[in-house]
Amino acid sequence: MSGVALYRRVLYRRVLGARFDVLPEAVQRLHDVTMPCVWTGQCQVERGSGLVARLAGWIGGLPPATEEMREGFRFEVRPEGDGEIWSRGFSGMAPFKTRQWAAGALLCERAGPMTMAFALLADGAGLRLELERCFVLGVPLPRVLQPRLEAVETEVDGAFQ
C-alpha cells in the first residue's frame, strides 16, 4: 500500500482533515496509527457518582474509577477496516475494548451496546472530544439521559497527556 493510501486510512486524519496538523506532536503520534501500536504509562479514571453515570458506565462496560494515578496502564490501538480497535487497561484487569470509526465529521465509538458520536475539536493546545449523540442498542438516547463525557488530550513536556 502506498504512503498516500496509508495516510488516507488513518482515522483521526480522516475526521480532522487539515486540523490534524495543528495538534501537538505527541497527540499526533498517538493518533497517526497505520499498524498496531502499544503505549504504557499511568492513568487516572474519573466517573460520575450519579445513577445515570453509574448506569451508563455499566452498560458501556467502562473501566472503574481510580482514586489516583495508577501505574501499569496499557493502551493499544489496532487499525481494522475503516476504523480502529482501542484496548485500555490496568495490570491485573481485563482490558476495556472499543471500536472507533468515522461517520462524516464525527468520530463514533462503540463500547458494549452503547455507541457515542463525538465532535473533534483540535487546536495547538490539543484535542477535545465533545459528545454529540449517544445510542444504546441503536436507539438514540434523549439528551437529558446522555452521559456527560469530557475527554481532553494534550502534550506536557513532550509527552502525551
Side-chain angles (χ1 to χ4, degrees):
M1 185 175 293
S2 75
V4 172
L6 279 175
Y7 182 83
R8 287 187 184 140
R9 283 188 55 204
V10 176
L11 177 61
Y12 281 73
R13 282 191 180 276
R14 284 197 331 263
V15 175
L16 289 167
R19 296 177 299 149
F20 186 90
D21 295 324
V22 304
L23 292 170
E25 283 186 41
V27 177
Q28 286 185 30
R29 282 192 306 269
L30 186 105
H31 292 295
D32 207 5
V33 176
T34 59
M35 64 182 66
C37 296
V38 175
W39 294 270
T40 58
Q42 301 176 347
C43 184
Q44 181 176 3
V45 177
E46 295 179 18
R47 287 180 59 172
S49 58
L51 177 62
V52 172
R54 289 194 317 269
L55 184 59
W58 178 75
I59 289 171
L62 301 174
T66 58
E67 303 252 340
E68 56 193 33
M69 293 292 271
R70 286 193 42 192
E71 297 285 341
F73 182 72
R74 176 182 160 88
F75 173 63
E76 179 179 352
V77 177
R78 181 172 36 91
E80 185 175 278
D82 65 346
E84 297 175 351
I85 303 297
W86 283 32
S87 178
R88 312 156 181 96
F90 295 105
S91 298
M93 294 177 66
F96 169 62
K97 292 187 178 185
T98 64
R99 183 178 188 318
Q100 294 186 351
W101 69 94
L106 298 177
L107 176 85
C108 293
E109 184 168 22
R110 178 168 292 134
M114 187 182 311
T115 300
M116 297 159 285
F118 295 95
L120 301 182
L121 307 172
D123 59 29
L127 180 66
R128 275 194 356 257
L129 286 80
E130 290 189 355
L131 184 64
E132 291 287 322
R133 296 299 319 240
C134 187
F135 304 82
V136 175
L137 297 172
V139 177
L141 285 179
R143 293 217 185 259
V144 69
L145 294 179
Q146 284 185 181
R148 286 184 304 152
L149 299 175
E150 184 175 322
V152 178
E153 300 176 359
T154 190
E155 179 180 305
V156 175
D157 298 327
F160 177 86
Q161 191 168 62

